[in-house]
Amino acid sequence: MIMFSCVRKATGEMKHTASNILGNGEFVVHIVDEDNIAAVNHTSINAPEGISELELAGLTPVPGQMIRVPRIEECRIAMECRLTRHVELGHCDMIIGEVLCFYVEDELIRGGRIDAAKLKPVSRLAGASYAAVGRTFDLERPQYES
């Protein structure tokens, strides 16, 4: 399962992302990286309905493996999802989905795990703020002993 929220426009109207998900019942969640963040950020442009934000950003849609909604070729990790629940929270819409399929480029996998240093993931914070992964470290999981 995966969950995210879409803040509504100042008018209270749903953003294209939420309305498209409700209309299609399917969506793709992409992991954005330092190499494509500028183009992906460009998809947040306030384009009118019917104008492709992907096209404006120079991104390439490719067919999904299990859903009708395309994924973005330039994103090296993507999750194809089916909408399971939509919750209106006043000023935003909470989207909950079942992940049906993962797409991960082979070059990112090392020892059965995703190599974060190769991926260089970026996260969205709030407003125009983003964050990149900094120092990473491992901690052993504690074991309860009675």
Side-chain angles (χ1 to χ4, degrees):
M1 301 297 285
I2 193 162
M3 185 279 298
F4 66 95
S5 64
C6 285
V7 176
R8 290 187 174 211
K9 297 177 184 179
T11 61
E13 180 184 3
M14 274 187 197
K15 289 188 177 172
H16 294 162
T17 298
S19 63
N20 287 341
I21 291 169
L22 292 180
N24 293 320
E26 300 174 333
F27 59 99
V28 180
V29 174
H30 297 89
I31 303 301
V32 179
D33 62 50
E34 292 177 19
D35 295 332
N36 61 31
I37 184 61
V40 172
N41 180 61
H42 196 78
T43 67
S44 69
I45 194 167
N46 60 342
E49 189 73 36
I51 299 295
S52 170
E53 290 91 346
L54 288 181
E55 191 175 312
L56 291 175
L59 294 168
T60 312
V62 294
Q65 296 175 21
M66 297 185 70
I67 63 174
R68 296 177 313 272
V69 176
R71 67 175 176 80
I72 298 171
E73 183 175 47
E74 291 80 4
C75 290
R76 299 183 297 163
I77 297 178
M79 293 164 269
E80 295 183 8
C81 306
R82 179 185 311 124
L83 177 66
T84 58
R85 189 158 185 213
H86 165 245
V87 181
E88 291 185 40
L89 299 172
H91 71 286
C92 68
D93 294 278
M94 183 169 66
I95 305 294
I96 303 171
E98 175 186 5
V99 178
L100 303 174
C101 174
F102 276 86
Y103 169 84
V104 180
E105 284 191 0
D106 291 340
E107 71 179 32
L108 296 175
I109 300 173
R110 187 182 70 194
R113 296 181 181 219
I114 294 169
D115 184 340
K118 277 188 179 177
L119 176 60
K120 302 181 289 184
V122 173
S123 65
R124 170 93 189 279
L125 298 175
S129 297
Y130 292 84
V133 172
R135 183 176 69 95
T136 62
F137 57 92
D138 294 331
L139 287 176
E140 294 296 320
R141 300 279 185 176
Q143 296 293 321
Y144 178 79
E145 296 178 24
S146 56

